[in-house]
Amino acid sequence: IADYCQTQYAIGVASGSDALLLSLMGLGIGIGEEVILPPYTFFATAGSISRIGATPVFVDIDPDTYNIDPAQVEEKITSRTRAIIPVHLFGQCTDMDPLLAVAKKRTLYVIEDAAHAPGARLTNKMLGSIGDIGCFSFFSNKNLVTGEGGMVTTNNDEFAKKIMRM
């Protein structure tokens, strides 16, 4: 999967929900901090944020793609914001360039929730390889099904080691 996703690491986990949770924990995000995400997603995205004591901050979707609207992200960033979770839906890629630019400018992590878009590409890059971490689910209602399971992808040695330890 690492080769396919064009990442150095692909770490198998119990579920897509665990992929999100372990990614947030691996980045050290916790109590009192904020994570930006779209409201149009499975509850596990926001639930993982709440579970670690952080606050989900919702940014509306682009009505044409149903993905987070990058134009609305920066206005929601505060001094407590630590990450952005774009959710790629229906095999469609979120417009990542503006998100990555804002994340770099504001020193934020980008965790791609690609549970509903395995195999999708943005230009020449595979989803799950564009942000700091990619999260996948193989649950029975997803695009790529094994019945259960999840995957975390990254090119960052430190993040991979932390997630593997957890």
Side-chain angles (χ1 to χ4, degrees), residues 1-23 111-116 118 127-129 132-139 142 144 146 148-154 160 163-164:
I1 289 178
D3 287 342
Y4 180 75
C5 288
Q6 301 169 344
T7 60
Q8 189 173 351
Y9 298 96
I11 305 151
V13 296
S15 66
S17 298
D18 280 354
L20 291 163
L21 182 65
L22 291 168
S23 295
I111 303 168
E112 295 178 76
D113 182 337
H116 280 279
L127 292 189
S129 72
D132 296 293
I133 294 178
C135 298
F136 295 89
S137 172
F138 307 129
F139 189 65
K142 300 297 192 270
L144 178 60
T146 64
E148 269 302 329
M151 188 70 58
V152 175
T153 56
T154 187
I163 291 166
M164 283 187 262

Side-chain angles (χ1 to χ4, degrees), residues 74-138:
E74 192 159 19
E75 67 191 46
K76 297 283 187 154
I77 295 172
T78 71
S79 61
R80 294 181 307 279
T81 306
R82 294 282 313 280
I84 303 167
I85 301 180
V87 179
H88 308 291
L89 284 176
F90 314 123
Q92 297 187 98
C93 305
T94 300
D95 186 5
M96 293 296 289
D97 288 340
L99 285 182
L100 294 170
V102 167
K104 183 176 181 180
K105 174 181 167 186
R106 303 297 285 272
T107 318
L108 303 174
Y109 298 114
V110 176
I111 303 168
E112 295 178 76
D113 182 337
H116 280 279
R121 294 176 182 270
L122 185 62
T123 59
N124 63 343
K125 293 183 179 177
M126 296 295 289
L127 292 189
S129 72
I130 301 168
D132 296 293
I133 294 178
C135 298
F136 295 89
S137 172
F138 307 129

Side-chain angles (χ1 to χ4, degrees), residues 56-74:
V57 176
F58 295 106
V59 170
D60 207 359
I61 60 169
D62 176 328
D64 293 328
T65 65
Y66 299 100
N67 293 326
I68 195 168
D69 183 354
Q72 297 182 46
V73 169
E74 192 159 19

